[in-house]
């Protein structure tokens, strides 16, 4: 999987999510159709009834999720219309509905450039969880420095 960079969102994503068993051709086509149908309204600014039929109760925005050509992992469409905050809701939706008979391994790593934090998105059964990986070290240092300042000034 490549690592899409969304400069406007200030988030770098890398990693991979493997699927077992491999997706069927139909499941791969359905993921592709949902991604295409949900992208079009974002581009044209027109509603799509098709995406509601393909994915009832789906999250807002375009689905970034498609399959790799072999059907063994989830891949992310890095179209510029994909919003960073649509990644997790769509993944939750898909693993809880269309992909409920599959299990996943691996993780997606999110590096938030502004917050300087790492988190990992993993799939546990049919639930998506986000776990902090690294805490911002300079914040801890900053708090310690501020805490020390009154003592230094005494
Ligand atoms: Zn694959």
């Amino acid at each position: 999987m490549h690592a899409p960079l969304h400069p406007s969102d200030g988030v770098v994503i890398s990693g991979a999510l493997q699927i077992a068993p491999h997706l069927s051709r139909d499941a791969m086509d359905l993921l592709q159709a949902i991604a295409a149908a949900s992208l079009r309204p974002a581009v044209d600014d027109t509603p799509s009834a098709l995406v509601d039929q393909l994915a009832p109760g789906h999250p807002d925005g375009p689905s970034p999720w498609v399959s790799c050509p072999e059907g063994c992992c989830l891949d992310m469409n890095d179209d510029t219309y994909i919003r960073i905050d649509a990644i997790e809701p769509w993944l939750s939706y898909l693993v809880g509905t269309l992909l409920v008979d599959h299990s996943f391994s691996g993780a997606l790593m999110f590096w938030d450039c502004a917050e300087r934090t790492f988190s990992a998105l993993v799939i546990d059964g049919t639930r998506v969880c986000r776990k902090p990986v690294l805490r911002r070290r300079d914040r801890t240092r900053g708090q310690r420095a501020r805490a020390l300042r009154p003592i230094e000034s005494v």
Side-chain angles (χ1 to χ4, degrees), residues 10-87:
V11 175
V12 181
I13 305 168
S14 66
L17 294 169
Q18 290 89 26
I19 310 172
H22 290 192
L23 293 176
S24 65
R25 189 71 242 179
D26 284 349
M28 292 163 69
D29 288 348
L30 186 52
L31 279 181
Q32 184 65 54
I34 291 170
S38 61
L39 181 61
R40 199 165 43 75
V43 177
D44 296 347
D45 203 20
T46 52
S48 167
L50 181 58
V51 65
D52 295 333
Q53 289 170 31
L54 292 171
H58 63 85
D60 289 337
S63 168
W65 295 106
V66 291
S67 161
C68 75
E70 292 75 34
C72 59
C73 35
L74 281 182
D75 229 338
M76 212 184 302
N77 177 356
D78 60 357
D79 191 282
T80 51
Y81 285 94
I82 301 294
R83 299 301 307 173
I84 203 84
D85 56 10
I87 291 171

Side-chain angles (χ1 to χ4, degrees), residues 41-150:
V43 177
D44 296 347
D45 203 20
T46 52
S48 167
L50 181 58
V51 65
D52 295 333
Q53 289 170 31
L54 292 171
H58 63 85
D60 289 337
S63 168
W65 295 106
V66 291
S67 161
C68 75
E70 292 75 34
C72 59
C73 35
L74 281 182
D75 229 338
M76 212 184 302
N77 177 356
D78 60 357
D79 191 282
T80 51
Y81 285 94
I82 301 294
R83 299 301 307 173
I84 203 84
D85 56 10
I87 291 171
E88 194 171 336
W90 268 106
L91 187 61
S92 295
Y93 175 84
L94 293 170
V95 302
T97 55
L98 304 176
L99 307 176
V100 76
D101 294 330
H102 295 269
S103 62
F104 297 84
S105 56
L108 276 193
M109 306 296 294
F110 285 69
W111 165 249
D112 188 314
C113 305
E115 292 290 314
R116 300 180 59 76
T117 52
F118 248 128
S119 58
L121 210 61
V122 295
I123 301 174
D124 181 7
T126 58
R127 291 187 48 220
V128 174
C129 332
R130 191 190 280 251
K131 298 175 177 174
V133 177
L134 285 179
R135 294 199 157 272
R136 192 164 73 172
R137 302 185 82 187
D138 59 352
R139 177 188 282 170
T140 318
R141 282 202 204 102
Q143 284 168 348
R144 202 170 293 151
R146 274 194 295 280
L148 286 173
R149 208 169 292 135

